[in-house]
Amino acid sequence: MNTSGIGMTSQRTKLRMIDRLREQGIKDETVLAAMFAVPRHLFVDEALASRAYDDVSLPINFNQTISQPYIVARMIEILRNGRQLGRVLEIGTGCGYQAAVLAQVAAEVYSMERIAPLYERAKKQLREMKLRNITVRYADGCAGLPEAAPFDGIIMAAAAPALLPALREQLQVGGRMVLPVGMQEQFLYLIERDAKGFRETRLEPVKFVPLLMGKV
Ligand code: SAH
């Protein structure tokens, strides 16, 4: 197999993705560098690899999707807010792509997934990529991960029906949480914790798979 040819194509298509992210308004160079560093095509089925860098979400089986590049970059840009991230929690590992991008910009990443085969595959993929600052957990993420809290950032990759007050308690002071909220109509929310309490900001409309309870 001529892998160098594939490599060339993905370098070029990756650069095109970064240009598009800039056009779409992503400004954080650290986030753009992280998006460039992670080979997104390795996180989708081979049959879909040629579309991996398009600005679309793609199926990863079990009725789940890998989020489109723009929303991954946007959420991490908001989470970072220009700062170095310490320990971050992601709820909804899926294929592991967003966790891999987070691992480029955070000291430590914890990621939780409730679907066993997705968890297994993501864990294997992330191990093969030697991303040693990611811990993947097979668990319902609705209650967060109290034993690893507090977090500098929490990011949710599935839409919660409401703002989940229990989860935000796992933010440290100065921490930020970015999550989609809603059922039919969803919006991205930013929650910031300071010494006095929490501040909520509603951002743009989004479309995510629902947050579900329990493990399967
Ligand atoms: N960040 C992922 C996107 C995955 S889609 C990526 O880069 O591919 C959302 C994921 O959230 C799905 O895999 C779904 O199974 C998972 N999910 C939904 N509810 C969950 C819960 N309560 N706990 C953990 N994971 C959950």
Side-chain angles (χ1 to χ4, degrees):
M1 189 168 71
N2 181 357
T3 49
S4 61
I6 293 168
M8 285 291 287
T9 307
S10 82
Q11 282 300 95
R12 238 189 350 250
T13 45
K14 253 200 265 179
L15 279 173
R16 218 178 297 140
M17 177 181 80
I18 301 301
D19 285 344
R20 202 175 48 225
L21 289 172
R22 282 186 205 282
E23 283 162 21
Q24 290 169 313
I26 305 298
K27 293 188 182 70
D28 186 333
E29 290 298 330
T30 302
V31 172
L32 291 167
M35 296 290 294
F36 184 72
V38 178
R40 186 170 157 95
H41 62 283
L42 298 182
F43 289 88
V44 298
D45 285 347
E46 252 175 84
L48 296 172
S50 65
R51 293 167 61 200
Y53 297 94
D54 293 353
D55 195 36
V56 290
S57 57
L58 294 169
I60 53 171
N61 301 324
F62 310 98
N63 279 329
Q64 304 304 323
T65 53
I66 176 174
S67 304
Q68 64 185 111
Y70 170 73
I71 199 72
V72 171
R74 174 83 177 122
M75 287 177 92
I76 299 177
E77 182 174 67
I78 297 166
L79 194 75
R80 243 177 62 80
N81 196 29
R83 66 207 167 107
Q84 267 319 103
L85 288 168
R87 184 178 288 182
V88 168
L89 175 67
E90 177 193 37
I91 295 158
T93 314
C95 62
Y97 173 71
Q98 185 158 32
V101 180
L102 280 168
Q104 314 295 313
V105 304
E108 249 183 308
V109 179
Y110 285 82
S111 183
M112 304 174 77
E113 175 56 54
R114 65 182 285 278
I115 299 177
L118 286 179
Y119 157 78
E120 293 293 347
R121 207 170 56 190
K123 199 168 79 165
K124 181 165 175 281
Q125 182 61 45
L126 295 167
R127 198 193 304 128
E128 274 169 20
M129 295 175 74
K130 300 197 167 43
L131 291 168
R132 294 188 217 284
N133 59 339
I134 307 180
T135 306
V136 193
R137 287 284 177 88
Y138 171 48
D140 178 350
C142 289
L145 195 58
E147 65 266 36
F151 298 99
D152 202 7
I154 301 178
I155 208 161
M156 276 183 47
L163 274 168
L164 302 175
L167 208 51
R168 68 184 197 182
E169 294 298 333
Q170 293 176 27
L171 277 180
Q172 66 187 36
V173 171
R176 299 186 133 214
M177 175 164 157
V178 181
L179 75 165
V181 178
M183 309 285 274
Q184 306 299 0
E185 208 185 20
Q186 301 173 2
F187 286 89
L188 207 58
Y189 275 80
L190 163 66
I191 298 174
E192 295 163 276
R193 183 173 204 171
D194 65 20
K196 292 199 214 89
F198 298 94
R199 189 169 67 189
E200 293 161 10
T201 313
R202 197 182 87 164
L203 306 167
E204 66 249 41
V206 285
K207 186 126 193 56
F208 276 82
V209 295
L211 186 76
L212 300 172
M213 286 168 70
K215 292 197 284 186
V216 291

